[in-house]
Amino acid sequence: MIKIAPSILSADFAKLAEDIKEVERGGADYIHVDVMDGHFVPNITIGPLVVQSIRPVTDLPLDVHLMIENPDLYIEAFAKAGADIISVHAEACPHLHRTIHLIKEHGVKPGVVINPATPVSAIEPIIKDVSLVLLMTVNPGFGGQSFIESVLPKITEVKNLADKLNLSLDIEVDGGVNPETAKLCVEAGANVLVAGSAIYNQADRGEAIKAIRGE
Ligand code: DX5
Ligand code: ZN
């Protein structure tokens, strides 16, 4: 079963509630929330206050992708704001094991993210402790970038590792996902597809979700 996680980064922030409800009606499985701090990535987006505001708007799990330095300092705030999944970048966490367990201690599902140039070996020691592995298929920071095909073998690597260890985790991809690249990601082993511009730049968001799911 393929899950679709629309990224609200490409939504209209002036009518965020409406844009979230529209993708929920359109069959979305998660709402993907991109948090950027202007340090780890060259862009600034939203924080826990926005997560708190959108929490009552949808029944879907909030999939919070932290692209920030020192994520340990903000995990409690995002958990209290209503995040269901909090994913942190391996590149931003010198004490990754501690950070993942801090997320769990707050009753939130932990995810770990790697950038296109980071090898799967960076997350191998922690894979048993996470609910989700997110493979970036663009360099994080902005919506609307082109899919980096060289990440595809890493998706398969994570899938094989998860199968070998008998883990039932989500394997998510993020960046440049459209109906064509979605197919490649699913064939490689991904089961959660994040899409921002390919959903929110379309007039009919429900149809866009179906197309990405391959229906
Ligand atoms: C990129 C973000 C993505 C982004 C995806 O840094 O993590 O979630 O919004 O946008 P598209 O689907 O337009 O590449
Ligand atoms: Zn993201």
Side-chain angles (χ1 to χ4, degrees):
M1 184 54 193
I2 302 304
K3 298 177 203 168
I4 307 294
S7 163
I8 57 169
L9 187 59
S10 295
D12 180 349
F13 280 26
K15 56 180 188 68
L16 197 48
E18 206 178 301
D19 276 5
I20 289 172
K21 285 180 181 147
E22 204 179 330
V23 294
E24 182 168 14
R25 282 195 301 271
D29 300 279
Y30 295 161
I31 297 297
H32 186 81
V33 182
D34 286 309
V35 176
M36 306 187 187
D37 66 351
H39 291 271
F40 180 65
V41 289
N43 196 4
I44 300 176
T45 57
I46 61 176
L49 279 176
V50 174
V51 173
Q52 192 185 319
S53 299
I54 63 175
R55 179 63 287 176
V57 165
T58 177
D59 294 327
L60 296 178
L62 298 178
D63 169 30
V64 176
H65 175 193
L66 298 185
M67 287 160 275
I68 64 175
E69 287 178 1
N70 299 315
D72 294 25
L73 300 179
Y74 304 97
I75 283 163
E76 185 178 0
F78 282 103
K80 283 191 175 155
D84 296 279
I85 305 164
I86 296 178
S87 298
V88 292
H89 273 259
E91 301 88 353
C93 299
H95 310 292
L96 185 56
H97 183 274
R98 178 189 289 158
T99 306
I100 292 297
H101 283 271
L102 188 62
I103 297 171
K104 280 192 181 186
E105 281 163 23
H106 283 94
V108 176
K109 289 183 177 169
V112 66
V113 195
I114 51 172
N115 283 330
T118 303
V120 172
S121 58
I123 57 163
E124 217 176 314
I126 200 77
I127 198 164
K128 283 187 188 152
D129 298 335
V130 299
S131 304
L132 176 148
V133 172
L134 169 51
L135 294 131
M136 292 308 299
T137 38
V138 297
N139 292 298
F142 303 93
Q145 302 183 80
S146 300
F147 185 83
I148 300 173
E149 284 217 9
S150 58
V151 178
L152 290 170
K154 291 204 301 179
I155 302 174
T156 308
E157 220 182 307
V158 172
K159 170 75 175 147
N160 290 343
L161 193 58
D163 287 349
K164 192 175 92 185
L165 299 170
N166 226 343
L167 305 172
S168 65
L169 43 79
D170 275 342
I171 302 178
E172 183 175 55
V173 290
D174 183 7
V177 173
N178 57 39
E180 289 73 44
T181 56
K183 191 166 180 282
L184 302 176
C185 293
V186 170
E187 281 166 5
N191 74 309
V192 186
L193 309 172
V194 176
S197 50
I199 292 174
Y200 280 109
N201 291 357
Q202 298 293 319
D204 188 332
R205 277 83 191 251
E207 282 305 315
I209 289 171
K210 276 190 193 159
I212 293 166
R213 217 195 288 276
E215 286 169 357

